[in-house]
Amino acid sequence: MNMKTKVVLLIAGFTILFLITCKHMPNDVPTPVASTNNGNGNGNGNVKDSVCFSEEILPLFISNCAKSGCHDATSAQGGYVLTSYANVIATISGSDLMNSLNGTNGFDIMPPATSPTALTTAQINLFQKWVNEGMKDGIDCLCTIDTNNVTFSATIFPIIQSNCLGCHSSSIPLLTNYSLIKYQLDTGRLYNAINHAGGVPPMPLGGSQLSLCRLTAFNKWVHNGAPNN
Ligand code: HEC
């Protein structure tokens, strides 16, 4: 390699480094403000400023609303189809959504009072934040889970809560606490369901697979022996 080539490579290298650094800077530096995302899988102290549709909102729609007889494409109760970003945006306004979740302005509260599951205040607040931010789509949102520091209480249970409990707090297999989750894990079925590894229906049913970052966190926890920590 002659001198000129070396200089060119060096400049190219610095330029790439510079571009990468700049591109990632705004997202990678945690801001020291309180997270409003507790209880939805992000309660690990990391903070990001806006709601991530694919990781935080869509799983709540899939697990709580987009069910058969309710708001899947076939049932479309009230005209609302809550199965994907495109369908949500096409069929429900932010104000109808929030009135439904709060049971205000003549709207019946959703999920219905007769439903075995209700949304938590944190989940409703997250919907409100998403509406306030303009109901934005987001697919490759920054992972806010610290996959190097995974615990059952701070990482795994919140993932189950937002992605699975809309169905599995009332239908079999119940996944509402550590021992029920561990029991399903020991059969091998839970791992296969989450990893879409075959032999069992892929979960979440009717939704897309957990984001890579959640899947990584879950699998690390399993490889650590699935501790109740
Ligand atoms: C929209 C509702 C819904 C959601 C959301 C959902 N499930 Fe399920 N799940 C079901 C139904 C219904 C079955 C039974 C399906 C069957 O047996 O054909 C099931 C079955 C299972 C089974 C048992 C599979 C077997 O055959 O033994 C496991 C394990 C499971 N789900 C885990 C999960 C996990 C983990 C999540 C979240 C990541 C999740 N599910 C999300 C509806 C759901």
Side-chain angles (χ1 to χ4, degrees), residues 59-68 159-168 171-173 175 181 184-185 187-194 196 199-210 218:
L60 294 177
F61 276 131
I62 295 292
S63 166
N64 294 284
C65 320
K67 300 183 188 183
S68 169
I159 293 175
I160 302 278
Q161 228 173 0
S162 51
N163 293 275
C164 321
L165 288 193
C167 298
H168 289 288
S171 35
I172 291 171
L175 299 172
I181 292 168
Q184 284 304 318
L185 202 57
T187 67
R189 305 182 79 81
L190 177 60
Y191 184 87
N192 285 354
I194 284 191
H196 295 191
V200 292
M203 294 289 143
L205 199 71
S208 40
Q209 193 173 26
L210 293 184
F218 177 81

Side-chain angles (χ1 to χ4, degrees), residues 98-112:
M98 293 319 301
N99 278 325
S100 303
L101 298 182
N102 292 309
T104 44
N105 293 319
F107 282 70
D108 290 336
I109 193 159
M110 291 290 142

Side-chain angles (χ1 to χ4, degrees), residues 25-31 33-37 42 46-52 56 126 129-130 132-133 136 141-142 144:
M25 210 132 71
N27 286 338
D28 288 352
V29 180
T31 343
V33 292
S35 173
T36 50
N37 290 331
N42 292 317
N46 283 354
V47 172
K48 62 180 175 45
D49 41 10
S50 57
V51 179
C52 176
E56 300 179 283
L126 192 68
K129 186 162 188 277
W130 178 65
N132 293 348
E133 288 171 359
K136 281 187 279 194
C141 314
L142 193 69
T144 54

